[in-house]
Amino acid sequence: MNNEPVLLAVDVGNTNLTFGIFCGETISGTFRMTTKLPRTSDEFGIWILDLLKARGVKKEQVQDVIIASVVPGIMHSLNSGIIKYLERRPIVVGAGTKTGLKISMANPRELGADRVVDAVAGLELYGGPVMVIDFGTATTYDLVLADGTFLCGITSPGIRISANALWNEAAKLPEIGIEKPDSILAKDTVTSMQAGLIYGCIGQTEYIIRKVREEAGLSEMKVVATGGLGRIIAAETKLIDVYDPDLTLRGLQLLYQKCAPKTSSRRNDAGLGKRSRIEEIAVSNRLAMEEE
């Protein structure tokens, strides 16, 4: 990679931390770390620097960092590691973040940051009304109208949670790989479990899509899927229009453009010149930090 400035987007999920490297609006690389291992701020910082280096990105190229997290317990160490080793104060998506959404929920603050980010990406990239399905630790179905109203959200156990429940709660059922069997007409224990998990999830997905369309009266609703196991489900149903594996990271990049402070004319006069948008926002953030 050349010396272009980059934005580092971080999706902190219950299973993995997923990092996206953006040059402008283009995602040029991704990498993952497991969420479940406890790490100090030094471990986070060194790991991130090493993984960036492996992708040809120098520390000085990282102009800003934006994070969406559903795991509060690791945020102190993660933030500290980024501040110490990247010398950037991350923007953390949360209450007060400018999203452009109107969240029509009883308690909008209860809505996970990942779902907000997915909703922004689904609406801006694919138009509304749109249902965004994230096949993660939990499987979530979120409906966003064309005017930006986040109308409803549905949550169910993810495929991996269901699989873990099978082999942890039933003594004679083995731990298996989660993949689609050749046929639903299973002839052994492993394929019977795989058939139940995969075809059961397909059936749930199709029913929820149809039921939401019916109750919301949205026959033209688009359906966008993301999440690691979403690829398997999306390939097996005609009701999912798009599978976008980088939807959450792309949503973080879109939110960065919305919520980062814009540079003032005074700062432009102070030598910003023809910096890229990422450079301008990052310089503005650092100036704001110095003024605090």
Side-chain angles (χ1 to χ4, degrees):
M1 183 179 289
N2 56 28
N3 289 321
E4 287 184 76
V6 302
L7 169 69
L8 185 63
V10 189
D11 171 23
V12 182
N14 288 294
T15 304
N16 291 312
L17 293 92
T18 305
F19 296 77
I21 303 165
F22 282 88
C23 292
E25 297 180 2
T26 303
I27 187 164
S28 60
T30 62
F31 56 91
R32 291 174 183 262
M33 301 168 65
T34 182
T35 304
K36 297 188 182 300
L37 290 178
R39 293 184 178 90
T40 66
S41 59
D42 294 310
E43 288 173 317
F44 271 123
I46 291 168
W47 271 95
I48 292 168
L49 283 180
D50 285 348
L51 290 166
L52 287 170
K53 183 179 179 181
R55 283 153 182 78
V57 178
K58 300 173 185 175
K59 166 187 167 180
E60 295 74 22
Q61 289 177 254
V62 180
Q63 297 296 310
D64 231 332
V65 181
I66 184 167
I67 301 173
S69 174
V70 295
V71 189
I74 73 166
M75 288 305 294
H76 178 73
S77 292
L78 178 60
N79 279 333
S80 297
I82 290 169
I83 291 168
K84 283 196 287 185
Y85 286 86
L86 294 182
E87 299 177 6
R88 299 291 183 265
R89 181 182 296 176
I91 298 167
V92 180
V93 177
T97 301
K98 297 176 183 176
T99 65
L101 299 176
K102 295 173 281 187
I103 299 175
S104 179
M105 304 286 282
N107 186 352
R109 291 177 179 271
E110 290 181 351
L111 192 63
D114 56 340
R115 298 176 79 156
V116 171
V117 172
D118 283 350
V120 168
L123 181 63
E124 298 218 6
L125 296 174
Y126 300 103
V130 60
M131 173 182 277
V132 178
I133 309 175
D134 192 338
F135 293 92
T137 304
T139 299
T140 57
Y141 305 78
D142 296 325
L143 176 60
V144 187
L145 303 182
D147 66 356
T149 298
F150 188 107
L151 188 65
C152 65
I154 300 140
T155 307
S156 69
I159 301 175
R160 202 171 300 281
I161 287 178
S162 298
N164 286 337
L166 273 178
W167 59 66
N168 286 328
E169 299 299 326
K172 297 189 70 173
L173 293 182
E175 185 171 342
I176 62 169
I178 299 174
E179 57 187 63
K180 176 179 166 287
D182 293 334
S183 170
I184 197 171
L185 304 176
K187 301 295 185 182
D188 57 63
T189 300
V190 171
T191 56
S192 75
M193 293 169 67
Q194 291 172 334
L197 289 166
I198 299 301
Y199 289 107
C201 186
I202 293 167
Q204 172 187 279
T205 299
E206 292 185 336
Y207 181 84
I208 289 176
I209 291 170
R210 290 193 178 102
K211 194 65 176 174
V212 168
R213 278 185 171 146
E214 174 193 331
E215 293 199 14
L218 297 171
S219 59
E220 300 302 315
M221 177 185 78
K222 300 178 186 67
V223 181
V224 178
T226 191
L229 293 170
R231 188 186 304 274
I232 300 173
I233 307 304
E236 297 299 320
T237 175
K238 295 180 180 179
L239 296 186
I240 293 176
D241 300 305
V242 178
Y243 174 70
D244 185 342
D246 298 320
L247 187 73
T248 309
L249 295 175
R250 295 171 76 190
L252 280 167
Q253 189 273 335
L254 290 166
L255 274 181
Y256 178 73
Q257 297 293 331
K258 289 174 178 289
C259 71
K262 298 183 184 299
T263 54
S264 67
S265 59
R266 175 177 65 81
R267 287 168 183 158
N268 285 330
D269 293 342
L272 286 175
K274 294 185 177 180
R275 295 180 187 270
S276 73
R277 175 65 176 143
I278 289 176
E279 287 179 305
E280 289 178 355
I281 294 172
V283 170
S284 180
N285 283 346
R286 291 198 292 278
L287 286 170
M289 287 166 60
E290 292 168 3
E291 290 170 359
E292 290 178 356

